[in-house]
Structures are given as structure tokens and as C-alpha cells.
Amino acid sequence: MDARDTIPILIETSAATDGCFQNTRPLLHEIAHALRRLQLEGVATTLDLSAIPFGPGDERQLIDFLGKGEVSAKLEAMGESLIWESRYAGVWIVEHRSTSSERLAFQLEITKLPAILASQPEDIAESLLMLREALESPQADGTLV
Amino acid sequence: MNDSMDFLLWTRGTAFDVAIAIFIIGLIIRLFEIVSLGRERTLAEPKGSEFLPGVKTILTRTLPDGGTFKRQPLTVIAGYVFHVGLLITLLLFIPHIELFRETFGFGWPGLPNPIVDAAAVLGVVGLLAALWNRLTNPVMKMLSGGEDYLVWVLTFLPLLTGYLAYHRMINPYPLAMGLHLLSIELLLILFPFTKLMHTFTLFLARWYNGAMSGRRGVQS
Amino acid sequence: MVDKKIKTLGDALRRNGVSRRGFLKFCTATASMMALPPAMVPALAASLDKARRPSVIWLSFQECTGCTESLTRSHSPTLENLIFDHISLDYHHTLQAASGHAAEAAREEAMRANEGNYLVVVDGAIPLGNPGYSTIAGFSNLQILEETAAGAAAVIAVGSCAAFGGLPKADPNPTGAVSVRDIVTDKPVVNVSGCPPIPVVITGVLAHFLTFGTLPELDEYGRPKAFFGTSIHDRCYRRPFYDKGLFANTFDDEGARKGWCLYKLGCKGPMTYNACATVKWNEGTSWPVESGHGCLGCSQPDFWDAGGFYNALSIPVGDISRTTSYAAAAGLGVAAVAAGINHKTKVAARKRHDRVTIDDLEKIS
Ligand code: SF4
Ligand code: SF4
């Protein structure tokens, strides 16, 4: 939970301003272009949402618009990361949070699978070592592990 | 440090104060001088009124007369296009109105920026056409002297720099805005001492023409 | 504190049990913080892995500690912790427990051990009017800066005071305050301006030095382009309203409630280069324009003297209506004199043109 939520203040955003800043539309066009590139050339694109000038409500509007697709994943590495595919296959939302739940990065990845989800070669090598070690050390009680 | 922010602060500060002071002092001296000269006593008996024909002429001379239009269509069209564009840009752009409000204590509603933008383009195009006309038309060319070209430049620069600053085509912005202000300050300083004075004297002159004709009972 | 034997950031992270995924995440966050394009992440990962610890000496001169406050309240703590654990902050006037001569000894020690490689971070302006205006352990700010900068790899001027002189330098500048760049001329100086500066920008610059061993690309004011490359106005979400000519006229009218442009209320966004509009403040909660107040232009040189905070940018700095009325009065005075002279000439001329009578003619002949 965000520390801000504990402050007993209600932030009022007037209904009139909510998400009416038209800053999401151009972004959606960009996503469409990136998706097309992915389809034709297989090139993935990452859009850093923290570099987009969002007005209040713009971000929520975008995320609502993209919606949730079939896959969502949670990564636990130096804090939580939430990764989910939007309603539009190939458009992924990646949100990295710190150990104290503060947002570190917020990105859209237009790709088949965000790279961070795949097992990393270095980690694979390391786990192989660990597994071998486990196999080589004989267990006292004769069980496998 | 000699940089764009210093430049902007100077053009918004000292330079503006000096320019506006020269402009106002010069303007008042010249207008006051003209008005205070008064008119020579006319001993002839008036054959009509002065007031209405005076006002009428101020208005009617705003429209082009057919003869001139036929002979010099470009002079007339470029002149109108440029003046309308310039006046809309000067008087109806909201940042400008804010300046007038600060100076006079009152303002007026402005136009949306895209419309002012279009007006500025009209102004620039009109001015370019007028220059082209001046340079290519033999009569115009003969009539034009150094001051005419100076006045053209003085008018063109604020429009151009303003357009470039608004569209952020010069970077950094403080430089663009500073150049715009500087061009206006040049205009303000030279205004009272050049033909630019016509902005104000044209009303006096038209009034005088109309009133004199009215008094003599003829059409102006 | 950090284990001195750990040489690179990669080592440090692995020792802390950070997986490769965790490291990638860290790199993504760092790239985002440094405003690098996401495509740079792999390159960043490669160099971050090998990054070495630089030593940092933080000096505070004529300042209000707002910059340090800003930095210590900086969001994304994991990131900053990592970076700050990794860089060694050998000396910080405000944050260190030691003071006076003991602290100065620590500074000298850090300088000696890292000759030519350490970074100096400065907040606050340097008074030249009288060295006694601001001293630490008997040394003037100027002395300390010159001495510390001499062996530094680079100097980072944090906050508008260090970068441009800031509030101390505001008219009439009673202490004769100058910026770091006015004094340090033979070393690269990065200006992270702002009053206070955006915390991630400070960490972003440190991260850049840590990762690439170089300083980021700078603009004409020595500010990192990645953060100061575009103006507030060009990234402002209220820009569509500016373009349409929809402005708030007061802080509580309909326009203000609808979130229209704040130009008329004095927003200096068009002339101000900073990252507030995208990076935002307070853990990305909001930023001045979003909370309904115009930009003050705090990251620009001499913004204190750039006219009223609530005057539209198009309004000149001075008291324009006073200048105008004085000028008008002066004009009228001169004009009255001119009119008097003209009148005399006219009367004289009229005299010469008086009607001639038969008697006159007879007299003459
Ligand atoms: S609020 Fe300020 S920065 Fe935003 S569009 Fe208006 S003038 Fe520009
Ligand atoms: S919005 Fe303007 S005044 Fe406010 S912190 Fe950002 S640059 Fe400074």
C-alpha cells in the first residue's frame, strides 16, 4: 500500500477535468504503429510512460482503455513488479515497484513476451550449478533431496 | 554571463522601459505639436457643417476607392491583408492583451490562438507582397526611399519574431522571446520619428480633409 | 556502509542476492530515471555491472538546505539507496554527524585518497562580497570550493543557487553571491538547477557518472539535456488549452476548475526548462501546474528578478504603467514648450500678414 493512502485527505479531481486532456490519443496511435512494426518486422518497442506528459486522469484512462488480457504475472525481485498483457495482444504493461511499493518504472512493451519474464541465461547457469551441487551431495537419509 | 536568459531579462526590463518612454514622449510631442498649431482662421463664410463630413471621411477613407484599385490592385490588397493581420495579432492575442491590461488597467477579450496565428501569417504574407510590389512596380520603386524600407523592416521583424517565438522555432525560447521584444522596442523607439506615425496622424488628416470639404459644401 | 572490497556495482548486487531479473529491473528503473530511451537498457546493464564506486564530497554554501531536503525525500528509495550505498558520500556538511575540524579532516582525507576521481556536489551560492559572510571551520566558501574542486573529476552544482546564484544573488545581491561556474572554470560543471531541483535529476546525473564514467550531455546552461531539454510549456498537459486560447483568469474561476492554461496567472512555463511536467513531484503525485499554480521558472537563471510571479510572461519586468505615465507627463511638458514656441512663431507670422488698408499704402508711398 502507498503511504499516501494513509493520509486522511480526499483528493478531489473535478469530473470536468478527469482525463479530458486528450494526451492519451496520440499515445494510442503510437501503440498502433508499434504493433504494426511488431507484426511485420518482429521489432519490439518499449514506451516509457513516465516520459509522457499526463494530466490527472489521463493515465487511468489509458490503462482502463487497454484493459486486462489473458496473461498477468507478478515478479518478486527487489520489490514487486506487475506485468500484464492488455486486451490487445502484444501490448504489455510493465510496472516495477520498489520494496516499499513505490513505483520505479512504468512502461508499455509492445512485444511477444516482455524480456524480463524469460529466465535469464546468467540465472540459468547459476541454477544449473546449484542443482548439480544438490545432486552430488549424498543425502544422509537416502532420499533424493 | 552573457546568455539568452540575461538577454530576455534585459529586453523585458531596461530596454522595454527605455523604448516605451521614448515612444510615449515622442508620440505626445508630435501629436501635441500638430494639434497645438491649430488651423488658420478662415474668413470665408461656411457653406456646410464640419463635424459630420469629418467623421464620414475618417470612415470612408478606410475603404479603397475604385480608381486606385484598378490601377494598383496589389498595393490595395497587400495593404489591407497586412493591416488586418497585424491589427488582429497586435490587439487580439491574449499575451498582448495582458500587456495592455497591465499598462492601462483594462483589457478586452482575445481570440483563440490558432486564429491569431492565421492572422499573423496573413500579416507576414501581406508585408512580403507589399515589399515585392514596391521593388517591382516602377512607380512604387521610384516613390520609395530609404525610410520606406526601414519602416517595412521595423514592422516585419516583430511579426516574424513573434511567429517564430510562438511556434518555438528558435531555441531556446528566452532567446526567441527576447528577439521578439527587441524588435518591438526598435519599432517603438523609431515610431514617432518615421512614417509609422500615420497610425495616429491618419485620423487627424482624414478629419481635416473631410471637415474642410464640408465647410466648403463639397464632397470629400 | 559498503564493503570496501566490493569493486563494482555488479559485485555489490550479486552479493546482496539480487538475481539477474532484479538487476534488469534495476537497470530499467535507472534508465527511466536518467531519461534514457528504453532501448538503452542492455547497454546500461553492461556498464552498470562494471560500474565502480566514485567518492562524493558534498559542500553546502549560501543555501537553505532545500536541495538536500529534496534529495533525501527523493522517491524510488531502492534505487537511491543502491546508488548512494554505492557511491561513497565521504563528506556532507548537513548530513554527517561530525562537524568542524573533524569533518574537514574527513574531506581532506577523501580528497587525498581519490585525487582526480572524486565528484564534488555543491549546493548554495558563494559570497564574494566579504569572505566572512559564510564560513565553515574558519574557511571561506570560496577557499573550500577552490581547494576541493582542484582535484575533482567534475563538479555538480545542485540547485539554482549553486547553478546560477539563486536567491542570494537576487537583486540587490547583498553578499556579492556568484555561481559555481563563475569560480570553477577549469573543470566540467553540471548544473542541476531548480529551487529545489527535482531529486531524481540529481540521482540521474550521479547514475550517469557511475554508469558511463562521463557526464551527460549539457545544454547552454550546463544542465543535462535529458531533463532540461524541453520546456515546461512543451510538455505541459494543459498545453491544448493554451493553444485553444482557454485561460484561467483567477485561481477559482470556471477556467481554473476546468484545468485551463495558467498563462494569464503568471505561469512561466514557456521560458522554463525543467522536467516537472513528466517526472513530477512527491513520488510522482503531481506538479505545480497540475495542482493549479503556474510555474515560477525556478530552474532559470535570475528567476527571482524576472518580474512578478503572478504577472503573465508577456508583461515587462518594470512597473510599466508608471513608466508610461511618467513618460506621458514628460512628453506633455516638452510638447507644451514646443507648442508655446510654435504659438509665438504663429503670432509673429500673423502680424506680418495683417490686413493692409488704404491708409497703410498711403503711408508707405
Ligand atoms: S499552464 Fe503554463 S506551461 Fe502549461 S500550457 Fe499554460 S503557460 Fe504553458
Ligand atoms: S513547475 Fe516551474 S517553478 Fe515549479 S518546480 Fe518546476 S520549474 Fe520550478
Side-chain angles (χ1 to χ4, degrees), chain C residues 194-196 198 232 272-274 276 281 287-289 294-299:
Chain C
C195 190
I198 300 178
I232 296 282
T272 310
Y273 289 74
N274 206 345
C276 305
W281 284 88
W287 63 292
V289 168
C295 166
L296 304 179
C298 79
S299 58

Side-chain angles (χ1 to χ4, degrees), chain B residues 5-19:
Chain B
M5 211 35 212
D6 275 348
F7 176 57
L8 175 63
L9 288 182
W10 179 73
T11 52
R12 287 180 68 206
T14 320
F16 196 89
D17 286 342
V18 170

Side-chain angles (χ1 to χ4, degrees), chain B residues 23-33, chain C residues 327-333 335:
Chain B
F23 172 71
I24 302 268
I25 295 175
L27 188 69
I28 289 183
I29 293 178
R30 291 216 45 193
L31 285 180
F32 200 92
E33 205 183 353
Chain C
L332 278 176

Side-chain angles (χ1 to χ4, degrees), chain B residues 1-6 8-14 16-18 20-26 28-30 32-34 36-41 43 93-105 108-115 166-168 170-175 177 181, chain C residues 163-164 169 179 181-182 220-221 231-234 239 241-247 249 263-264 268-273 300-303 305-308 311-321 323-324 326-332 334-336 338-340 342-343 346 350 355:
Chain B
M1 262 188 281
N2 202 357
D3 49 43
S4 58
M5 211 35 212
D6 275 348
L8 175 63
L9 288 182
W10 179 73
T11 52
R12 287 180 68 206
T14 320
F16 196 89
D17 286 342
V18 170
I20 198 80
I22 294 179
F23 172 71
I24 302 268
I25 295 175
I28 289 183
I29 293 178
R30 291 216 45 193
F32 200 92
E33 205 183 353
I34 295 169
S36 72
L37 273 174
R39 282 164 25 192
E40 204 48 80
R41 235 177 326 140
L43 299 171
F93 184 45
I94 285 169
H96 297 164
I97 298 174
E98 286 307 299
L99 173 60
F100 291 121
R101 189 195 308 282
E102 180 74 10
T103 314
F104 306 124
W108 49 85
L111 283 178
N113 293 356
I115 299 179
Y166 173 71
H167 287 279
R168 309 180 82 77
I170 302 179
N171 272 315
Y173 182 78
L175 177 66
M177 173 89 176
L181 283 166
Chain C
F164 307 127
K169 187 177 168 246
S179 70
R181 278 203 161 195
D182 289 332
E220 67 159 335
Y221 293 110
S231 70
I232 296 282
H233 184 66
D234 287 339
R239 180 64 180 274
F241 296 118
Y242 173 88
D243 291 337
K244 276 185 229 145
L246 296 174
F247 298 95
N249 288 311
Y263 185 93
K264 284 186 175 181
K268 305 290 186 292
M271 68 162 204
T272 310
Y273 289 74
Q300 293 298 105
D302 297 322
F303 80 102
D305 298 322
N311 282 352
L313 181 58
S314 59
I315 296 175
V317 176
D319 187 340
I320 180 70
S321 105
T323 315
T324 316
Y326 283 1
L332 278 176
V334 180
N342 284 338
H343 185 70
K346 223 170 114 181
R350 198 175 287 144
R355 242 185 293 180

Side-chain angles (χ1 to χ4, degrees), chain C residues 202-250:
Chain C
I202 308 176
T203 16
V205 173
L206 291 175
H208 197 285
F209 188 78
L210 186 71
T211 353
F212 302 114
T214 56
L215 296 169
E217 206 195 332
L218 306 178
D219 74 355
E220 67 159 335
Y221 293 110
R223 302 178 295 199
K225 273 197 180 148
F227 299 101
F228 295 92
T230 32
S231 70
I232 296 282
H233 184 66
D234 287 339
R235 300 234 121 194
C236 178
Y237 74 95
R238 297 194 186 205
R239 180 64 180 274
F241 296 118
Y242 173 88
D243 291 337
K244 276 185 229 145
L246 296 174
F247 298 95
N249 288 311
T250 63

